[in-house]
Amino acid sequence: MTEMLRGEHLTVSFGGKAVVDDFSFRLGEGEWLMLAGPNGAGKSTLIGAIARSVPCTGRILWKGEDIRGMKSAQMAQRIGILSQTNHVGYAYSVEEIVGLGRYAYQAGLFSGRDDGGREEVEKALEMTGLKEMRHASVLTLSGGEMQRVFLAQVFAQNPQVLILDEPANHLDLKYQQHIFTLIGQWLKEPGRAVLSVVHDLSLARRYGSHAILMDHGRSVAEGRIREVMTPEHLQQVYGMDVCAWMREMLSQWEEKGD
Amino acid sequence: MRNPRQLKRERFTPLTYMLLTIALLFTMILCVCVGSVRISFTDTVTAVWNGIWGLPIPETIAKNIILNVRLPRVLCVTLAGASLSICGAAMQGLLRNPLADGSTMGVSSGAALGAIIAVATGFTLPGFSMGGSMILAMIFAFVSLILILSLAYALDRSLSTGSIILIGVVFTMFISAIISLVITFASDHTRTLSFWTMGSFSGVNYPQVRVMAIALLLCGGVLIRFSPELNAFAIGEENARHIGVSVKKVKLIILITVSVLIGVCVSIAGTVSFVGLIMPHIARMLVGPNHRRLLPASLFSGAIFLLLADLTARTLLRPVELPIGVVTSIVGAVAFVIIFFRTRKVR
C-alpha cells in the first residue's frame, strides 16, 4: 500500500522532559490510524509536531519528502488538521470560517482563481449539516456546532490526509456517529488517509483500521486495530482492566426493568 | 422567517461606501467652515473647488484661512484618523485581541520617543527634513511592538487580552518618563511635552499631508491585501497555520506595516490615543469582523471620528485650543472600559 505520511524518531522535549520520545509511525493510503493512550501520553503534542507548530527532532515525511521544507499553502493542500480547541472571539459567520478552508488555494498574489472553491465549501457545509446556519454568528453556536464548523473547514480544504485531534470532542452521540461515518465515507476515495487521536476506545475500534497505543511519549503497541486493541495491551497502558469495565458499563442496559 | 441567530450584515455594498464617502466629505467641509473665523459652506466649497482646478478665487473669500490653514489641517486629521484606525483594526485581528491598539500597547509612545530623540539630536535625512524623526519613530514603533509581544509571550504563551495590555501600560509609563527626561534636557529643540503625549495638528502643512497620504496609500493597501490572513489570525493563530498561512512571514509584514504607519502619524501629530481602539469596534458593529469590509470601514470611521475630535478640540474652549489627545482620550477611556467589561463577561 502506498505510504502517505511517515514519522521517524520524533522527539519533542519541554524543559528537558521528552513528551514525545523517539516515536515513529507510518500512515498508508486508505488507512485510518487511531492514536490512543492515557492523558499526557503525548498525542496532541505529536499532532502539534506534524502541524509544525511544535519544534521536534527527527523527520516527518510526506511521500518521502521532508515536510520541513514545504511551503505553508502546499502543506495545507495535502494535510488538513483539526485541533482540539477552537475558540473564536469575533462574530464571524459559519460560512466565512468554512470558506477560509480554501485559503491555501487562493494565497499568493499570482495564484490562479480558486475555481472549485465555492463547490467545495458547499459540499463541506452539506456534509456537516451546517447549510441551514451558514449565516449564523459563530458566537451563538454550541460546542458541538463549533466542532462541526471546523470539521467543515478542514473538509473544504480538501486535503489528502486528515489529522484529527479528538474529532468527537463536544459532540453528542448522534453527531459522533454522524461525523465518524462521514470521515469513513471521505476516506473511501482513493489517495486519502486519516490519523486521529481518540479517547473513546470503542469508537477507535469500530472505525479504525490501524492503531498505535501511546504512553509516556512512546509507542506501546502498533499495527492492525485488532492486534493492538487487545485486553492485555489496554491493561498495560491504562493500568486497569478496560474491557471488563466497558462490559460492565454496557451490561447496565441489558438488565430488564427495575 | 429569519433565524434570529443570522447575521444581518452581508449587505455591505458600493452604496454603503458611497454613503460613507459622502459622510466623510461632509464632515471635512464642516471642519473647514467652523473655527475662530466662521466661513460659509459655499465659500469653502468654492475656494477648494477653484483651488484644485487652479481657477481664480473671488476676493470676498478668506482664501488664506481656507487653503493654507484649515484645509491642510483637515486633510492631515483625516489621513491620521484613517491610518490609526486601520492600524488598530489590523492589530486587533492579528493578535485576536479586541483591546489592541497603538496607544494601549505602548507602540505610539515608543514612536514618539524615537521622533523626540531625532529632533533633540538633530538627526535628519539629507533632502527630506521630516525624514529623520519619521524613520526613528518607525524603528522605535517596531522595536516597541517586538519588545511588548516578546514580553507578553514570555508571560503567557496564549497572548491573552490582559497580559498584552498590562505590559503595554507599564511600557507606556516607562517611555513617558524617558520622554519627559529627554525634553527636560533638550527643551530648546523639541516641541512641548503635551504635543508628544497628547498630540496636536496645529500648524501642519501640505508636504506633511503628502507624506501621510503616500504612507496610508501604501500601508493601507498592504493591510487590505492581507485581509484573508487577518481573518485567519482573528479566528486563531493555530487555525491560520493549519489552513496554510505562513504565520511568521505574514505576522512580520503586518507588524512592520503597522509600525511604519504609526511612525509617520506620530512624527507629524504626536500620540493621539484610542482612535485605533474605538473606531474598529464601531466599524465591526456596522459591517462585521471580516477584514475585507472591516478595514475599509475602519478607514472611514477613524477619519470621521478624528475630524470631529479635532473640531471639538479647536472650538470647545475657544480661543484656547485643547490638545486633540485630550478629547480622544476622554472618549477612548470610557470606550475602553465598556469593551473590557464586555470581553470579560462573554467568557
Side-chain angles (χ1 to χ4, degrees):
Chain A
M1 197 160 282
T2 331
E3 177 185 283
M4 304 201 69
L5 198 64
R6 180 157 50 129
E8 286 177 348
H9 308 291
L10 302 174
T11 301
V12 180
S13 305
F14 293 137
K17 189 176 167 285
V19 182
V20 175
D21 192 1
D22 194 25
F23 185 90
S24 299
F25 69 90
R26 83 176 278 294
L27 179 65
E29 186 183 336
E31 289 178 5
W32 187 339
L33 176 61
M34 295 288 185
L35 203 57
N39 291 332
K43 306 176 300 271
S44 294
T45 310
L46 178 71
I47 286 190
I50 300 173
R52 304 196 295 192
S53 54
V54 176
C56 71
T57 61
R59 295 200 303 169
I60 299 169
L61 303 171
W62 166 266
K63 296 182 178 170
E65 178 192 347
D66 197 324
I67 63 163
R68 228 161 288 202
M70 245 182 236
K71 285 221 164 77
S72 304
Q74 199 181 17
M75 168 110 173
Q77 291 179 13
R78 295 169 174 175
I79 303 176
I81 298 166
L82 178 72
S83 42
Q84 212 174 75
T85 47
N86 280 300
H87 181 90
V88 180
Y90 296 114
Y92 282 92
S93 73
V94 168
E95 195 176 9
E96 279 171 331
I97 290 190
V98 178
L100 265 177
R102 298 305 295 172
Y103 174 82
Y105 301 87
Q106 298 156 344
L109 273 177
F110 306 106
S111 64
R113 274 196 4 253
D114 177 26
D115 284 326
R118 208 46 266 158
E119 219 172 291
E120 292 288 344
V121 171
E122 288 304 315
K123 219 162 69 185
L125 287 170
E126 177 86 60
M127 277 168 87
T128 46
L130 292 170
K131 252 191 160 154
E132 298 285 285
M133 46 172 113
R134 64 195 307 155
H135 296 302
S137 154
V138 291
L139 296 184
T140 64
L141 302 187
S142 70
E145 288 167 333
M146 205 62 177
Q147 185 76 353
R148 277 153 59 202
V149 170
F150 282 96
L151 191 72
Q153 189 193 57
V154 85
F155 277 146
Q157 202 174 319
N158 196 20
Q160 287 161 272
V161 166
L162 266 186
I163 298 195
L164 313 163
D165 196 352
E166 274 292 323
N169 218 0
H170 302 295
L171 295 178
D172 60 34
L173 282 175
K174 183 185 150 209
Y175 268 105
Q176 281 189 13
Q177 191 203 21
H178 180 69
I179 295 288
F180 271 73
T181 310
L182 266 181
I183 297 168
Q185 280 166 8
W186 181 88
L187 185 58
K188 284 211 179 85
E189 298 230 356
R192 288 177 169 178
V194 181
L195 166 65
S196 63
V197 169
V198 188
H199 269 299
D200 188 325
L201 299 170
S202 309
L203 271 177
R205 169 106 195 212
R206 166 74 180 75
Y207 289 96
S209 69
H210 293 70
I212 299 180
L213 273 180
M214 210 174 166
D215 196 17
H216 294 107
R218 289 173 162 275
S219 157
V220 176
E222 56 187 284
R224 298 203 159 271
I225 196 101
R226 275 161 215 285
E227 293 155 17
V228 175
M229 296 286 194
T230 59
E232 297 74 39
H233 286 146
L234 295 179
Q235 168 91 45
Q236 187 188 342
V237 170
Y238 288 91
M240 63 181 277
D241 192 342
V242 176
C243 296
W245 167 248
M246 289 201 283
R247 220 168 286 131
E248 189 190 322
M249 295 299 276
L250 206 60
S251 68
Q252 299 181 98
W253 302 100
E254 284 152 12
E255 287 163 19
K256 285 175 187 147
D258 290 329
Chain B
M1 275 294 276
R2 237 186 130 77
N3 182 340
R5 297 201 305 186
Q6 300 245 325
L7 295 168
K8 282 175 258 158
R9 53 169 91 99
E10 298 96 68
R11 316 211 184 292
F12 193 66
T13 57
L15 182 72
T16 324
Y17 282 107
M18 226 157 73
L19 287 175
L20 281 171
T21 312
I22 291 169
L24 177 62
L25 284 177
F26 178 78
T27 318
M28 287 171 79
I29 294 170
L30 177 78
C31 290
V32 176
C33 294
V34 180
S36 48
V37 180
R38 203 166 282 266
I39 298 163
S40 80
F41 183 84
T42 45
D43 281 5
T44 304
V45 175
T46 318
V48 173
W49 185 260
N50 291 8
I52 292 172
W53 303 108
L55 301 172
I57 296 164
E59 292 293 323
T60 51
I61 297 176
K63 173 182 156 190
N64 196 38
I65 294 184
I66 297 176
L67 291 187
N68 294 334
V69 180
R70 293 212 187 136
L71 188 62
R73 178 169 183 153
V74 162
L75 289 174
C76 229
V77 171
T78 308
L79 291 165
S83 302
L84 293 171
S85 178
I86 198 173
C87 283
M91 283 209 274
Q92 287 165 19
L94 183 73
L95 302 172
R96 221 179 104 168
N97 186 335
L99 290 174
D101 164 42
S103 52
T104 50
M105 288 176 60
V107 183
S108 309
S109 312
L113 180 61
I116 291 170
I117 289 176
V119 175
T121 60
F123 170 71
T124 54
L125 294 184
F128 183 39
S129 57
M130 284 179 270
S133 56
M134 230 167 245
I135 293 285
L136 276 199
M138 289 174 196
I139 293 172
F140 271 65
F142 184 69
V143 172
S144 312
L145 251 179
I146 296 297
L147 196 71
I148 292 156
L149 290 179
S150 331
L151 278 173
Y153 192 73
L155 192 70
D156 94 72
R157 287 171 59 93
S158 66
L159 284 183
S160 75
T161 315
S163 50
I164 287 187
I165 304 306
L166 210 59
I167 290 169
V169 168
V170 175
F171 186 80
T172 306
M173 286 160 81
F174 176 68
I175 295 291
S176 303
I178 297 182
I179 290 178
S180 335
L181 199 70
V182 175
I183 287 176
T184 318
F185 283 105
S187 53
D188 38 343
H189 297 298
T190 64
R191 284 183 264 189
T192 60
L193 182 63
S194 82
F195 170 81
W196 292 109
T197 53
M198 280 290 158
S200 170
F201 285 91
S202 69
V204 291
N205 51 36
Y206 281 114
Q208 290 175 324
V209 170
R210 206 173 307 136
V211 172
M212 288 183 88
I214 293 169
L216 179 59
L217 212 62
L218 291 178
C219 298
V222 169
L223 293 178
I224 290 175
R225 153 74 186 76
F226 278 98
S227 333
E229 286 83 355
L230 283 170
N231 285 334
F233 273 105
I235 288 166
E237 191 173 321
E238 205 188 328
N239 190 247
R241 181 180 288 115
H242 294 166
I243 61 170
V245 178
S246 326
V247 171
K248 265 193 190 147
K249 193 180 92 190
V250 171
K251 208 181 213 179
L252 192 66
I253 293 174
I254 291 172
L255 289 180
I256 290 176
T257 312
V258 165
S259 307
V260 168
L261 207 45
I262 290 183
V264 170
C265 289
V266 169
S267 68
I268 288 174
T271 56
V272 182
S273 305
F274 290 114
V275 183
L277 174 73
I278 318 166
M279 292 332 284
H281 275 272
I282 307 271
R284 208 174 282 123
M285 283 178 207
L286 291 172
V287 302
N290 190 331
H291 288 78
R292 252 182 245 278
R293 302 181 301 255
L294 176 64
L295 294 181
S298 300
L299 284 176
F300 284 104
S301 60
I304 293 172
F305 171 73
L306 202 59
L307 280 169
L308 294 176
D310 186 52
L311 188 67
T312 314
R314 279 192 289 138
T315 55
L316 192 66
L317 298 178
R318 212 162 32 199
V320 180
E321 184 180 323
L322 292 169
I324 187 165
V326 170
V327 180
T328 59
S329 294
I330 289 173
V331 181
V334 175
F336 182 95
V337 172
I338 295 172
I339 297 164
F340 193 65
F341 269 85
R342 278 178 45 178
T343 53
R344 284 286 140 133
K345 270 193 165 166
V346 170
R347 295 292 148 86

